[in-house]
Amino acid sequence: PSVPIDRVIEEVRRALKRGDIVRTVGMVRELVRQARQDPRTRHLQAITALEFGQARDAVALLETLIFELTGDPLREATVDLARAREMQGDLENALLTLRPELESDDTPPAAIASAARITFRQGDAAGAIAMLENAKADEKQTYHLAGARGFIALNTPADDPELGARTDAAIAAL
């Protein structure tokens, strides 16, 4: 109660980036207990659900949340909603969810990476790779694109002649 919610949310985001899921879950539970109505709390709750593969719960939270947010938080929640739909196997709706972000002038790298993964899963490897090749990101956000390249490399069949190039591109990006 004595720690400002903004500081707790910032610390939760740091723990998420470090991959400290145990700490994240504990802090999110406490946030839910003390600040359930704050949209940032529900967004972190949805992200945590995604980390544990609970796509249905994440979709339910994010579908209501996107009507409450604006600006960058809305963009981030939109990408997370697309990721959750992708996890559910709903690739078409995941791509439709990303469309506004993909059509903007400053498409976030996370949206491009998600769209590339979805496009690859739909069977268009060339389109997915083209998205990643044309993406522009600053150094702080290239990990999204590197993760998508790694996903493509890991899901390329061993007998595919492109596997070597995709693996090399993923390693270089990482």
Side-chain angles (χ1 to χ4, degrees):
S2 62
V3 179
I5 189 169
D6 291 338
R7 233 173 86 203
V8 175
I9 288 172
E10 187 178 307
E11 186 58 33
V12 170
R13 290 197 174 275
R14 261 190 248 131
L16 266 172
K17 281 186 179 184
R18 286 191 311 261
D20 189 351
I21 298 300
V22 173
R23 185 163 189 235
T24 300
V25 169
M27 288 190 290
V28 168
R29 279 188 181 156
E30 188 61 24
L31 277 172
V32 168
R33 192 175 72 73
Q34 293 188 23
R36 178 179 300 274
Q37 297 309 313
D38 190 315
R40 298 171 300 177
T41 297
R42 292 195 316 278
H43 188 193
L44 289 170
Q45 190 177 12
I47 291 171
T48 304
L50 275 173
E51 292 293 326
F52 283 98
Q54 299 168 334
R56 188 177 64 197
D57 294 340
V59 167
L61 283 165
L62 291 164
E63 281 180 338
T64 59
L65 187 61
I66 59 172
F67 293 106
E68 299 176 37
L69 300 172
T70 59
D72 287 339
L74 173 60
R75 297 180 90 181
E76 187 179 330
T78 300
V79 172
D80 290 333
L81 178 57
R83 285 179 46 221
R85 287 181 171 158
E86 178 188 0
M87 284 177 82
Q88 284 185 312
D90 188 1
L91 301 180
E92 286 185 37
N93 278 329
L95 209 48
L96 284 173
T97 301
L98 286 172
R99 187 165 314 282
E101 294 303 323
L102 296 172
E103 292 174 351
S104 73
D105 293 334
D106 59 339
T107 304
I112 295 168
S114 289
R117 280 193 314 273
I118 294 165
T119 302
F120 180 81
R121 289 183 65 194
Q122 289 178 324
D124 184 6
I129 292 169
M131 281 183 203
L132 296 170
E133 294 294 328
N134 295 324
K136 294 176 182 81
D138 64 27
E139 288 182 17
K140 291 181 181 179
Q141 297 178 334
T142 56
Y143 69 93
H144 294 292
L145 303 175
R149 285 187 183 279
F151 175 84
I152 290 171
L154 288 171
N155 289 288
T156 298
D159 61 347
D160 190 319
E162 295 294 318
L163 178 60
R166 291 177 187 169
T167 302
D168 290 345
I171 291 170
L174 291 170

